[in-house]
Amino acid sequence: MNYTESAYAKLNLALDILGRRPDGYHDMRMVMQSIDLADQVTLSPRSEPGISVSTDLPYLPKGDGNIAAKAAARFFEATGLPCPGFDIDIFKQIPVCAGMAGGSSDGAAVLRILRRLYVPDMTEERLEEIGALVGSDVPYCVRGGTVLAEGRGERLSALPPLPPCWLVVCKPACSISTPELFAQVRVKKLRCHPDIPGMTAALEQGDLEGVARRLYNVFEDVLPRRYSQVFEVKSSLLELGAMAASMTGSGPSVFGIFREEDPAARAVDALLPLGVSAFLCRTAQPRP
Ligand code: C5P
C-alpha cells in the first residue's frame, strides 16, 4: 500500500525580521499563504528497515540528508514508536531553493502521512511541535492556509483566508542562500517594516486590495545587487497588471496578485520567454 500527499508551496504575503536571537536564529513575524503549486510525496512501507528518499531531480539528497527523511526520523524519535522501513518518493513541482518552502513542505507531508498511519489522534499542535524539530518553516507547512507565524516561525495563529484571487509565481534563474541573506540583515538598519496589523485587518474584512497594498518582505531591502533579476521580474508583474508583487521568503521567487484569471494567465505567458519559471496558482489548504 502507498500513501500520497500533496506538499503545497508557501508564499509570504508579509515577512518581517524583529531581531537576532541568542540561538543564532531570528525572531520573525510573517503572514504565510499556501498555494496549489505542490510536490507529490508518496510513502511506501517496505520490509527492510531504514528510510530512503528518491525524487525526480537527481541532484537532491536521497538519504538522511533529505528533509523528508529527517521528518520521518524525528516523528519516530518523538513518538517512541519503532521505525519500520520506508521508501519516500517525491515528485517535485515546487522550484528548489526558491523561497517557497518546498523541502519543508515535503517534510510536513511526510509528518501528516505518518500521523494518519500511526497516531491518528495526535493533535495538530503536537505534529507542529515535531515539525519545529525538522525546520523553522515545517510547523507552518504542517498546518497550511493563511497563517501568522512568529518566533522562529513555529508560533502559529490562524488568519482569515486570503480572498479569492490568482497568484502568478515566478522563479528567476538565480538561487539565494537563506543563511547568507539572514547574515546581510542589520535589524536596526531596516528602513521599513510590513504593516502586519493592517494586513490582518484587511484579511478580516475580506479586502483583497488592502492585503495587496501591504505586501512587503524586508529581505528585499538587503538583497545584494547581483540579484537584480528579482526586481526586474517584480516590475514585469506590475506592468502585466498585478495589483501588487513581492519576493517570497528569502527569494528569489516573486509573486503577483491578480483579481482575474485572464490577465494572470497572460502574465504567465509573457514571463516565460524571459527565461524564468512561471506558474498560475490559487490558494490551497492541506487536508487534515
Ligand atoms: O530552520 P531552518 O533550518 O529552515 O533554517 C535555515 C537557516 O535560516 C538557519 O540556519 C538560519 O541561518 C536561518 N534562519 C534564521 N531565523 C529563522 C529561520 C531561519 O536565522 N527564524
Side-chain angles (χ1 to χ4, degrees):
M1 182 81 178
N2 295 338
Y3 304 89
T4 297
E5 175 93 13
S6 295
Y8 296 106
K10 68 93 187 151
L11 298 178
N12 289 97
L13 302 178
L15 187 153
D16 202 2
I17 304 176
L18 308 182
R20 206 176 135 83
R21 301 157 39 128
D23 62 5
Y25 282 84
H26 291 78
D27 273 320
M28 313 290 293
R29 188 170 292 141
M30 305 178 281
V31 178
M32 320 278 259
Q33 176 64 56
S34 32
I35 56 169
D36 61 1
L37 176 62
D39 296 341
Q40 294 303 314
V41 177
T42 300
L43 202 142
S44 319
R46 62 173 196 205
S47 46
E48 315 87 75
I51 298 163
S52 74
V53 180
S54 60
T55 78
D56 57 324
L57 298 181
Y59 51 85
L60 292 182
K62 292 189 172 26
D64 295 347
N66 192 296
I67 194 166
K70 192 172 161 193
R74 295 290 169 275
F75 181 89
F76 288 105
E77 280 161 25
T79 55
L81 295 167
C83 177
F86 282 115
D87 292 321
I88 299 171
D89 184 58
I90 307 174
F91 178 62
K92 291 296 295 179
Q93 291 287 289
I94 306 173
V96 175
C97 293
M100 289 193 262
S104 300
S105 194
D106 296 341
V110 167
L111 292 179
R112 286 198 301 270
I113 295 174
L114 292 174
R115 172 177 59 177
R116 255 202 317 279
L117 286 180
Y118 293 101
V119 198
D121 58 353
M122 181 186 283
T123 62
E124 195 71 11
E125 289 71 24
R126 179 70 187 123
L127 197 65
E128 290 165 10
E129 265 171 37
I130 300 174
L133 303 171
V134 184
S136 303
D137 278 343
V138 179
Y140 165 72
C141 292
V142 165
R143 186 185 294 206
T146 313
V147 167
L148 176 68
E150 296 173 285
R152 202 164 57 98
E154 83 289 11
R155 269 185 13 236
L156 308 178
S157 320
L159 292 172
L162 183 66
C165 62
W166 295 84
L167 296 150
V168 174
V169 182
C170 202
K171 158 78 173 60
C174 55
S175 289
I176 302 176
S177 147
T178 302
E180 212 177 286
L181 201 56
F182 268 111
Q184 301 287 327
V185 176
R186 299 286 169 270
V187 173
K188 290 204 177 96
K189 290 202 172 153
L190 290 172
R191 283 178 292 127
C192 298
H193 293 273
D195 172 15
I196 291 181
M199 182 176 281
T200 303
L203 286 166
E204 275 157 9
Q205 288 153 19
D207 171 13
L208 183 63
E209 180 74 45
V211 175
R213 218 172 326 122
R214 292 177 175 86
L215 293 192
Y216 198 84
N217 181 341
V218 296
F219 275 132
E220 285 184 29
D221 291 349
V222 297
L223 210 55
R225 210 184 283 270
R226 63 182 181 280
Y227 301 118
S228 59
Q229 209 190 354
V230 167
F231 299 106
E232 287 158 22
V233 171
K234 214 173 135 173
S235 301
S236 302
L237 277 164
L238 294 171
E239 279 162 25
L240 290 161
M243 297 166 76
S246 178
M247 189 171 83
T248 177
S250 55
S253 303
V254 172
F255 66 98
I257 297 186
F258 290 75
R259 212 180 269 284
E260 306 292 340
E261 180 178 10
D262 283 354
R266 281 197 296 274
V268 170
D269 291 342
L271 286 162
L272 289 172
L274 304 182
V276 299
S277 317
F279 307 89
L280 181 59
C281 302
R282 304 218 78 181
T283 60
Q285 175 77 56
R287 65 183 166 140

